[in-house]
Amino acid sequence: VQQPKPQPLANGPSTASILVSTRQKGNPILNHIRNMPWEYADIPADYVLGATTCALFLSLKYHKLHPEYVYGRIRALQGKYNLRILLTMVDVEAHEECLKELSKTSLINNVTIILAWSAPEAGRYLELYKTYENAAFTSIKGHQSTNFSDRLVEFVTVPRSVNKTDALGLVSNFGTIRTAINAQPEEISLIAGWGEKKVQRWCGAVREPFR
């Protein structure tokens, strides 16, 4: 059996680096990517932050002058990356209409829009996406206690201004969460530390529709 000859691998760009399109030469963001290595590469996106993640950069000032530009760039990325980020520099005063339009575009084209108000902030976003390239979902998953009393306190303190002490006072006075939820505002206001505003917030939270 004649085996095929192994082909030498081309020296491609490093996977540990943020890949930057040559289109981005001169972008002040590059001066603020300091915690991750980066290098220029021939890529369809402006930045490649992982095997399945890329970013396009858009200045709102440029977008106002060339509104068709971003749509062509997004179309060119279709099917190439799972996560497509539109890193948008908010560098104009009247930005509401532009952002409303871009938000709609991002929803239709499955693009994640990230807003930055300065070059250091934009550079930090790129670094963070690259840093978490191989991170497990558990790294951003919130911790949920399995202890009943802790979960009870967690539930009661959801309304603003209701703290742990208030939660313990509420349950110890009424015995159960069910009784506390069904209690009248006048009864709750008798608990130490429960002022009028706090009572209103609690009653509003437990009585308003889930939707």
Side-chain angles (χ1 to χ4, degrees):
V1 177
Q2 191 174 356
Q3 292 186 341
K5 273 188 176 181
Q7 297 296 314
L9 294 172
N11 290 326
S14 167
T15 55
S17 303
I18 294 174
L19 304 184
V20 180
S21 168
T22 48
R23 292 188 196 89
Q24 293 296 295
K25 281 184 178 177
N27 191 330
I29 287 178
L30 298 176
N31 298 328
H32 299 282
I33 304 176
R34 295 169 181 161
N35 301 313
M36 297 293 295
W38 63 270
E39 55 188 289
Y40 288 116
D42 184 19
I43 52 175
D46 291 328
Y47 302 91
V48 171
L49 309 168
T52 59
T53 306
C54 75
L56 292 176
F57 175 78
L58 181 68
S59 152
L60 286 187
K61 197 178 284 184
Y62 185 86
H63 178 64
K64 283 198 161 190
L65 296 171
H66 307 278
E68 73 293 336
Y69 166 80
V70 70
Y71 303 107
R73 296 297 310 281
I74 290 172
R75 275 196 302 272
L77 295 180
Q78 292 297 337
K80 289 188 172 68
Y81 299 92
N82 293 339
L83 176 58
R84 295 182 293 277
I85 298 158
L86 182 60
L87 183 58
T88 306
M89 179 70 76
V90 184
D91 50 5
V92 294
E93 289 294 326
H95 53 258
E96 290 83 1
E97 285 305 312
C98 285
L99 293 180
K100 192 186 289 185
E101 171 212 332
L102 289 171
S103 297
K104 185 179 176 183
T105 300
S106 65
L107 285 170
I108 293 167
N109 294 283
N110 194 23
V111 173
T112 301
I113 187 167
I114 298 289
L115 305 181
W117 273 261
S118 66
E121 185 186 358
R124 186 69 185 127
Y125 276 128
L126 294 175
E127 289 177 342
L128 284 170
Y129 272 103
K130 183 63 180 174
T131 302
Y132 286 103
E133 177 188 1
N134 299 311
F137 71 91
T138 49
S139 63
I140 58 170
K141 189 180 178 184
H143 172 70
Q144 191 173 34
S145 176
T146 52
N147 182 291
F148 176 75
S149 58
D150 288 346
R151 293 184 72 175
L152 184 144
V153 167
E154 233 173 72
F155 170 78
V156 176
T157 53
V158 167
R160 244 176 81 200
S161 82
V162 179
N163 58 39
K164 190 176 178 180
T165 308
D166 299 328
L168 295 172
L170 187 74
V171 176
S172 61
N173 270 270
F174 293 104
T176 66
I177 282 287
R178 182 176 180 170
T179 316
I181 287 173
N182 292 322
Q184 293 303 310
E186 300 78 29
E187 297 175 280
I188 298 170
S189 61
L190 297 174
I191 304 170
W194 281 76
E196 186 184 344
K197 196 172 281 187
K198 198 171 289 187
V199 172
Q200 283 176 354
R201 281 182 180 157
W202 166 257
C203 292
V206 297
R207 284 171 173 75
E208 67 185 6
F210 280 116
R211 175 170 273 198

